[in-house]
Each structure stands twice: as C-alpha cells, then as structure tokens.
Amino acid sequence: MKRENLLIACVLWVAVVLAGCKPLAPAGGKVPETAVATPITLHMSVPGEPLTLDPGLAYDFDSIAVINPLFLGLTELDPETQEPLPALATDWAVSEDSKTWTFTLRQDVPWVRYDQAAEKVAEVMDENGNVRMVTAHDVVYGIQRACDARSASPYAYVLYIIAGCEAVNTADVTAPDYYELLEGVGAQAIDDFTVQFDLNYGASYFGQIASVWTARPVPAALVAENAEGWTAPDVIQSSGPYALKQWVAGEEVELVKNPFWYGWREQAGVAGNIDLVNMIVFDNPAAALAMYQDNTLDSTIVPLAQIEAIADPQSSFAAEYRAVPDNSTSYLGFITQKPAVSDARVRRALAMAIDREALVRDILKGGQIPANAFTNPLNFGSAAGDPAVAPWALSAEAGGTGYRAAVEMARQLMTEAGYTDGADLRLVFAFDDSEETEKITHAVTAMWQTAFPEIEVALQSQEWEVFLDMLNNPEIALEDKPDVYQLGWFADYPHANNWVHEVFSPSQSMNESMLSPDDPQVGVLVAELDATTIAAQTASEAEQIELYKRAEQLLVDEIAAVSPLYYDVTNHLTKPWLVREYSVLPYFQRWTIDTQAKAAAQQ
C-alpha cells in the first residue's frame, strides 16, 4: 500500500461512540410519526487528515482509509484469506494464459453525493434526468487517468501490469503519439457493464490488484468538468457504502451512510448499522485513551507508552485488548548513492548492529516480530523467518547467528570499509515526527554508537508530508537527501511482487534507495534483483517462492539497500458493545454497535 508511517497505519483503528438511538421528541413529549431516530455514529480519532480523496492521487494511509468506504473497487479482499471478493464486479473470467481478465459489473451502483441543502444523500442525475450509474467507461477512465503521466499518480506503477500503462506513464507528454499511447492502455469497455484488461504477463494476483484504490473508477463526467476541485465536499461524487458529508480541515471528516448502496439490501445478515462515521483529527493518543476509559470512545489504539500496562493480564482492560498483525514492515532504507553509505559493507554493518529482539521487547513492547526479510509473512512469497535470508537478523533460537555474533561481523565489515569503530563516518538519519518512529530512531542510533563508538549520527526529524516529499520528489537534489531513513511499507496487495519488485526494483518508479545497475560495487547484483523479480512474475508458484527468496537475499543481505526491523501489529482496545473486524482497510459497513449495551454502560 502506499508509502506510509507505521504509526499512522496503526492508529487508524481508534475511537467509536454511540450517539443514540431513541426518537427525538418535541416540546410536549409526543413523538410525531415523521420523527427520525438519532443516527448511530462511529466517532473515530485519527492522527492526521487525508492529503487527498482522489483515488488516482492518494498515497498515504489517512487518505486511503477514507477513499475505501467512498469508492467501490472491482473487488475487495477477504479480511481473513486476502482473496479477492466481488464488489463492483459480480464475477470475472480469466483466459487460459491469465493475460486477459474480463469483469462483469453490477448494474445497480449509482454515483451519489451528499446534498447539503436537503441534508441527505442523493443519486446523481445526467442531463436527461436519468440516474448516472457506475459503468465500465468509468472504470476505464479511472485506469487511463492513473496511467496518464499528466496525472502524476504516485501509485501508477501498481498498474504497470496492464498493457500500455507503463509506456504512457513514462512518456513525454508533448510527444505527437502521446494520445495514441493513452488510448492504447489495455483496459476497454466491452459494453456499459463489462470491462476487459489485457496484461503484459499472466498474473494470478490481478484480482487482488483490482481492489487497489488506484484502480477504482472515478466519475468521468464530473472529473472532466472539474478536474481540480472534484473531491471537494460540496462537489464530490462517490459510489461506496458511505458518502462524504463534510471535511473540516484540521478537525474532522464525516461520512454518512449511502442508502443506495446495494449491500444494505443484499447483505442484511452481514451489513452493520453505522449511520455516520466521524473521523476526528486527534494527534494525542494518550488523551484518546483517557476518553476510552470514560466511555466517550468505544475503540482506540493503545499509546506506545501504555502497551505494557494495558496488555498485562491483570489489567482491567485485558479482556478488551487485542494485538492484531498488520501486513506491514518497519525498516531502515539506505540511499545507496550517498557517499557515506555507498559502500555495501557499511550498509551491511549498520544493519547487523541492530538488536531487533531488544527493539521489540524493550522499546515497542507491542507484540511486534523481529524481521529478517522485507516482505511481511502475510504475503505470498515471503521469506520471513528463513535463516537463508539475512541470518544475522535472527536469534540463534530462530536459526540465525544471534546478535552478539552479528555485532562482531558488523565491526569487522566496518573496519574493512575503512571506518574502524565508525571513525570518520558521519550519517544523516531522517525520520518523521511521530512518537513511535522517534523511539525507534533513537534506539537504533544508540545501538550503532555502542557497536561503533566513534560514529557520528545527525538525527533529522520532519513533518510527515515533508518527509515523504524529500524521499520521493525527483527534483530534490541528492545532497539534500539523508543517508538513512526510517519508514514502513504496508502492502497494496498481498503478494511479494508488491514488495521486492514494485518498491525497490530499479525498473520501477519508487526505488527510494536509488539502486542502479551502474553502481560500481553492486551494480551486477542490482541487475540480478531486477531480473529475478521480473522472472518471478511469470513463474510457477513453487518457482516464485525460490525466486522471491533470492530477491530478498539480494535486497537485504548482499546489496543491503534496506534493513528490515520488525513486522508490525496494531494494539487495539475495543468496548464489548462494538462488533468489528480487523481488516487492513476499514469496511465500516460491516461494523455494528449494540446500542442497548452502549446506552446501559453510559448510565
């Protein structure tokens, strides 16, 4: 998923409160027949607000968490198995070579908007007074728009599997054949409710890619009319189970139930009862915990400093506490073209000198799992825990070398690189300004200073948006980038291709570590990494597993472009009257509040 701060990924799942369910009575006490029950409201505190509600432009978790209930994807992922389930598409057919995918769409999904004057969700009408439905043309438009280089979609690379997408996304927009390239993207509307994709190679996981926010249809007519401001609260049109009611910058985002969503009819036994979702921008997790304690909030993330006490079996909150594995990995990245870390021996030494067991046991204390491979174990093709990959990152009990031996190896490598005890090595270590990231950064720096007493590390804390721009903006000069950065990756879809190929392969657009086949020291290995991950795309499942393991060995150990730290979890507190699931993205339409139990607890 998206390049993102793991604290942001974690703190998505926070507060919920019941607003009430009894009819409002006018003076005199008689309730008229037209009285409407107070809506059941989900109050959620979030650490930051969305950067955008445009599916084609979103790259941060705050944005995607709002986009998910607003815009239907062709598919959605099963919260348990991560297999693709029908959503906008009722079913799909795959050619024998898996290169052609044909999706049949529902014909009863209207574009809707919240009518501020009428204070209700309304269907969007076309110029002839007919309800404007989501069609295959909207799907194709959304795909072409994301691939279009002029859109500067940060996650267009996820769609490079579609024929022609990479060509137009990397083309010169002034080229005379540019529009031919755009029309050549392998997505076409067979009819109003059938869309076909032609892929560059057969991929069994394209059904999962079809769930990604970047691939979601957008209202073509509206965007064409109002390209810059179409996501504003009084303009936006959406298709999901919720619509945007309001967005007050710096304060809150409020979603309201879309009564025209098919699921309220067809999934009566599964659908939840949340009428309003109120996402309150709230960057103080300790205060949120206090609100949870007095029943103002129904669910919250546990602050880092409180995890140990809350998770204690003797805690009064023990029965309400749950640590849920995330499909995310926290890691350090090295910008390999920076002089201080251009030597792979230095990068390996720094990676080896990190005590991952101590980091999760003594600093984080939330059930995180020490990581040796970049790809999280919740994904197909992960080599997590395999001592054939970076054994120095694993304990002796897990089949690795153990930390003491790893530090000795690190000190030897640093000496071979000409930096005995870290002398003359000066690093700039950048991180975002969240509580968790700051603790990690300081802990890792302390470990380096113990292993290499003469090393100098300058810490550089930045606001989240500035931090991401520094890493991703190609106009920022190399000398203005750090040597090392701390970040997390959350899966876009649950497959190793999304990790070792799409994030760091030099043929892809992200490649924040600036890997290059021209690197005089590891260029051959970088080329092998690229070739290995490309070969895996068309290999059998058994072959993929071996190829992705080799890719991890290259990425983490031999090239040492990244240093995985841990596989993350989210630590939740949830009141017993809230019935919810713990999926990667929020599906509020499946959450339920027991209004009677909530009311009784608040008396």
Side-chain angles (χ1 to χ4, degrees):
M1 175 189 270
K2 46 276 141 219
R3 192 58 66 173
E4 52 107 12
N5 176 335
L6 286 185
L7 179 62
I8 289 180
C10 293
V11 292
L12 169 66
W13 308 108
V14 284
V16 187
V17 65
L18 172 63
C21 61
K22 295 182 180 180
L24 296 175
K30 184 178 180 180
V31 180
E33 292 182 3
T34 56
V36 178
T38 302
I40 299 172
T41 304
L42 184 69
H43 292 292
M44 168 183 290
S45 83
V46 293
E49 63 185 328
L51 300 178
T52 178
L53 295 184
D54 189 329
L57 300 181
Y59 62 89
D60 63 296
F61 200 82
D62 286 318
S63 297
I64 297 159
V66 179
I67 287 170
N68 193 59
L70 290 179
F71 294 91
L72 281 182
L74 289 170
T75 64
E76 64 182 50
L77 299 184
D78 184 292
E80 299 295 330
T81 67
Q82 297 296 290
E83 291 300 310
L85 300 174
L88 177 61
T90 57
D91 56 76
W92 47 92
V94 186
S95 64
E96 187 174 347
D97 63 3
S98 296
K99 292 178 67 174
T100 302
W101 289 62
T102 305
F103 292 82
T104 301
L105 310 188
R106 300 186 66 97
Q107 300 184 26
D108 59 350
V109 178
W111 289 108
V112 301
R113 60 180 292 271
Y114 183 75
D115 187 326
Q116 300 286 347
E119 297 185 339
K120 66 178 183 179
V121 176
E123 294 173 307
V124 174
M125 302 296 180
D126 64 19
E127 62 276 7
N128 297 316
N130 300 315
V131 176
R132 193 186 295 277
M133 295 293 180
V134 180
T135 69
H137 306 287
D138 295 314
V139 176
V140 171
Y141 179 78
I143 295 293
Q144 288 183 334
R145 181 170 173 267
C147 295
D148 190 337
R150 295 169 300 177
S151 297
S153 173
Y155 278 84
Y157 70 87
V158 175
L159 305 180
Y160 281 6
I161 188 175
I162 299 172
C165 182
E166 182 176 9
V168 72
N169 191 246
T170 56
D172 179 355
V173 298
T174 64
D177 65 342
Y178 185 79
Y179 289 98
E180 292 180 21
L181 290 174
L182 185 60
E183 290 298 320
V185 172
Q188 60 177 316
I190 304 302
D191 56 44
D192 285 349
F193 297 101
T194 308
V195 63
Q196 179 178 295
F197 294 94
D198 295 316
L199 309 184
N200 290 314
Y201 54 88
S204 60
Y205 49 85
F206 186 69
Q208 295 166 318
I209 292 178
S211 74
V212 173
W213 68 96
T214 312
R216 299 193 183 187
V218 296
L222 177 66
V223 180
E225 296 170 3
N226 197 344
E228 296 299 321
W230 77 272
T231 58
D234 57 345
V235 179
I236 190 170
Q237 298 171 7
S238 57
S239 58
Y242 292 87
L244 180 66
K245 183 177 180 181
Q246 67 173 346
W247 179 1
V248 181
E251 295 183 16
E252 64 179 3
V253 176
E254 189 169 32
L255 309 180
V256 60
K257 181 178 180 179
N258 169 17
F260 304 103
W261 179 61
Y262 63 88
W264 305 123
R265 305 186 306 272
E266 298 180 6
Q267 301 175 14
V270 178
N273 67 350
I274 307 299
D275 298 313
L276 290 172
V277 179
N278 191 226
M279 297 179 171
I280 305 169
V281 179
F282 193 174
D283 60 1
N284 188 338
L289 178 60
M291 294 173 69
Y292 178 89
Q293 291 172 318
D294 67 10
N295 287 338
T296 304
L297 303 180
D298 294 309
S299 182
T300 188
I301 201 69
V302 182
L304 193 62
Q306 301 294 325
I307 289 176
E308 189 172 19
I310 293 292
D312 190 314
Q314 303 303 314
S315 165
S316 58
F317 296 108
E320 300 168 13
Y321 170 78
R322 180 171 176 178
V324 181
D326 285 333
N327 197 353
S328 59
T329 300
S330 178
Y331 68 97
L332 300 187
F334 301 101
I335 296 184
T336 55
Q337 294 184 29
K338 294 283 288 188
V341 291
S342 61
D343 191 323
R345 292 171 297 185
V346 171
R347 301 194 296 268
R348 293 187 75 204
L350 292 169
M352 289 176 175
I354 300 170
D355 189 342
R356 292 158 180 79
E357 293 281 345
L359 187 65
V360 302
R361 182 188 64 241
D362 302 330
I363 306 299
L364 299 172
K365 305 177 183 179
Q368 296 84 358
I369 301 170
N372 67 310
F374 180 58
T375 307
N376 186 283
L378 296 178
N379 299 267
F380 174 83
S382 173
D386 188 334
V389 176
W392 40 264
L394 296 172
S395 66
E397 292 76 14
T401 61
Y403 182 60
R404 181 174 297 181
V407 170
E408 291 305 313
M409 295 166 60
R411 290 174 58 81
Q412 179 63 34
L413 282 171
M414 197 66 85
T415 297
E416 292 175 6
Y419 299 107
T420 300
D421 288 336
D424 300 320
L425 182 60
R426 297 173 178 84
L427 303 176
V428 175
F429 189 174
F431 58 100
D432 74 274
D433 57 356
S434 68
E435 178 191 13
E436 181 174 327
T437 304
E438 185 172 1
K439 284 182 176 289
I440 293 166
T441 304
H442 282 276
V444 169
T445 300
M447 293 172 187
W448 285 345
Q449 290 172 331
T450 299
F452 318 114
E454 296 186 44
I455 195 171
E456 294 182 24
V457 182
L459 300 181
Q460 186 181 89
S461 176
Q462 297 175 325
E463 293 182 357
W464 176 239
E465 191 170 358
V466 175
F467 178 66
L468 284 185
D469 185 65
M470 176 268 300
L471 291 178
N472 292 294
N473 190 339
E475 295 183 2
I476 293 181
L478 178 64
E479 57 265 27
D480 295 326
K481 293 179 180 288
D483 303 296
V484 191
Y485 58 91
Q486 196 275 320
L487 201 55
W489 179 254
F490 212 120
D492 299 319
Y493 56 93
H495 194 282
N497 183 69
N498 184 232
W499 296 74
V500 291
H501 180 66
E502 292 180 343
V503 181
F504 288 105
S505 186
S507 66
Q508 293 295 114
S509 60
M510 296 201 73
N511 190 20
E512 288 169 345
S513 288
M514 300 180 69
L515 294 176
S516 171
D518 297 326
D519 188 314
Q521 186 181 146
V522 294
V524 173
L525 298 179
V526 170
E528 184 184 350
L529 172 66
D530 206 25
T532 299
T533 57
I534 291 173
Q537 293 172 335
T538 54
S540 68
E541 288 195 354
E543 292 171 325
Q544 286 182 51
I545 291 172
E546 291 305 311
L547 287 168
Y548 286 128
K549 179 191 292 187
R550 177 58 186 153
E552 291 278 7
Q553 290 172 328
L554 289 163
L555 178 67
V556 176
D557 203 344
E558 298 177 37
I559 300 171
V562 300
S563 176
L565 299 177
Y566 58 86
Y567 307 121
D568 210 357
V569 301
T570 300
N571 292 274
H572 300 270
L573 279 172
T574 303
K575 296 294 185 181
W577 49 79
L578 173 62
V579 179
R580 56 165 292 182
E581 61 187 18
Y582 295 91
S583 54
V584 173
L585 290 175
Y587 291 94
F588 301 123
Q589 66 268 28
R590 298 199 286 259
W591 292 23
T592 300
I593 293 174
D594 183 335
T595 57
Q596 293 183 345
K598 172 66 176 181
Q602 290 187 323
Q603 290 179 353

